[in-house]
Amino acid sequence: MFGNKTSVAVFVILGFSHRPDMKAFFFLLFLCIYIITVLGNLIILLAINADPALHTPMYFFLRNLSFLEICYTSVTLPRVLINLLSGDTSISFAGCAAQMYFFLFFGATECCLLAAMAYDRYRAICNPLQYMVIMNKKVCMQLAASSWICGNLVALGHTTFIFSLPFCGSNVINHFFCEIQPVLMLVCGDTYWNELQIILAAAFVILMPFLLILVSYGLIISSILKIRSAKGRYKAFSTCSSHLAVVTIFYGTAVFIYIRPKSSYYLDVDKVLSLFYSVVTPILNPIIYSLRNREVKGALSKMRMKLFHPNS
C-alpha cells in the first residue's frame, strides 16, 4: 500500500504498561472519559437538532465540532481500552497507519473548523446586521466541507509519507497510540529532511488556522471595545468565550507537541501532554458549551422536559 521496504510487520504500543499496578485504574479512568465524551457530545448534537431556535451558523459549526470530537476520541480510546483489558498491545503495520491517518484527519479538521468558528464569531460581532446574509447556509456548508477536505488531504499526505519510510529496528512505540513523533523515531537512518518536511507541514496546518483565529479575535476585541455599555460588551464577549476556551486548550498542547525537532522529544512527557488534545479537549467541549452558553442550556432543559415530562 505504501511501497515501504521494511522488516517491521507489527508494532507494539507501550502505552501505560510501565505501570501494571495501575492497569485497572487506567481502564476505569479511560472508560469513564470515553463514555462521558461520547454521551456529552451526542447530547449537545441532539439538543441543537431538536431546537429550531439553534439552527443558526454558530450552532451548525458546534454540531460539526461535537460530531468531530466523538470521532476523534473513538480513534484512540477504544484501542487503549482493548489493550488494557486484553494485555495484547500489538498493532499491525496497516492498523497503525490507519490509526494515524484517522487521528490526523480529525485533528487537522478540528484545526480548520475552529478557524471557521472564529470567522463566524467575527462576522456575528463585527457585522451583526448583515450576519445572516453573509453567513448563509451555502457559506456555512462550504466552510465545513473545506475543513473536512483539508483534514483528509493533510492526513493522507502525512500518513503516506511516514509509512513509506523504512522501519528496520525496534517496533516498540512509546505512546498510547500511533502518533507521528514516536513512530518517526523508529525509522531507520537519518530522518532530518523527513522531520523538517513534517514540521513545516504541521506548522502550516496548525499555525495557519491559528493565525486566522488570532486575526479574527483581534478584530472582535477591537469591535467589542467600541461598544459603550458594559452589558453589551459582556454579551458580545460571552458569545466567544466558550470557543476561545476550547481553542486555548487544543492549540496550547498541539503547537508544543508538533512544531519542534525530534531531538527535543521527551516521549514520556509528550504522552501525558497528548492526553490534553486527544482526550481532555473532546470531553471538555460539551462541558464548556453547556455551562457557558445560555442557549445550549435552554435547549438541554427543553430536551430533558420532553424526555421526562412528555405530557407537560
Side-chain angles (χ1 to χ4, degrees), residues 36-47:
I36 294 168
T37 300
V38 172
L39 286 179
N41 282 287
L42 191 59
I43 288 169
I44 293 285
L45 264 172
L46 294 173

Side-chain angles (χ1 to χ4, degrees), residues 121 124-126 217 219-241 244 292 294:
R121 292 299 81 209
I125 291 169
C126 299
Y217 273 105
L219 295 169
I220 286 168
I221 291 168
S222 175
S223 186
I224 288 174
L225 292 175
K226 292 176 184 177
I227 299 173
R228 293 182 179 180
S229 70
K231 186 178 179 181
R233 287 195 297 270
Y234 174 78
K235 185 179 178 182
F237 182 74
S238 66
T239 65
C240 305
S241 57
L244 200 54
R292 297 188 62 84
R294 187 183 302 171

Side-chain angles (χ1 to χ4, degrees), residues 87-108:
D88 179 12
T89 60
S90 63
I91 184 170
S92 68
F93 188 87
C96 188
Q99 188 181 56
M100 183 182 289
Y101 164 77
F102 283 109
F103 185 78
L104 291 172
F105 174 29
F106 297 129

